[in-house]
Amino acid sequence: MRFVETVEIAADVDRVWAVQTDVESWPEWTPSVTAARRLESGPLALGSTARLSQPRLRPAIWRVTEIDPPYAFVWESASPGVRSRGEHRLVRLDDRRTRVELALVQTGPLAGLVGLFGGATMRRYLRQEADGLRRRCERA
């Protein structure tokens, strides 16, 4: 299962990267995350982990598996029967704008069932994250 949301933000890529990688601030700007705690200090890096709590979902530990500052990071989380991959990609546009591409990819023996019963929630959470990120980055 793959869910994708895209948003254009009137902010440069460095601003968007700074907001998006400040994982512990996510509950301030997206209702799709109720609590977020980095498990190490310092900037987000390969191998960094964070514990996220989201409404109607079990808390999960996410580990960064790919990172290309300030353009992309990918992290993964596993639960019984499902592996989730969150992709956060930034594309520099003209006029100091940034296109953000968010994707959630779920694989494993239970991914189809999770997508069937939770797909609407996953799409809503990605939209909330995209909209919240845009509002946060465009604030003066």
Side-chain angles (χ1 to χ4, degrees), residues 23-80:
V23 174
E24 290 184 332
S25 74
W26 287 17
E28 299 171 13
W29 53 262
T30 179
S32 64
V33 177
T34 55
R37 184 171 52 90
R38 288 280 310 280
L39 303 181
E40 309 83 22
S41 60
L44 201 65
L46 191 63
S48 291
T49 54
R51 184 178 193 274
L52 295 185
S53 296
Q54 298 182 268
R56 303 176 59 188
L57 299 176
R58 290 179 177 222
I61 304 292
W62 290 84
R63 179 177 306 279
V64 176
T65 56
E66 299 173 28
I67 193 162
D68 179 21
Y71 298 105
F73 80 90
V74 175
W75 59 6
E76 297 182 11
S77 180
S79 60

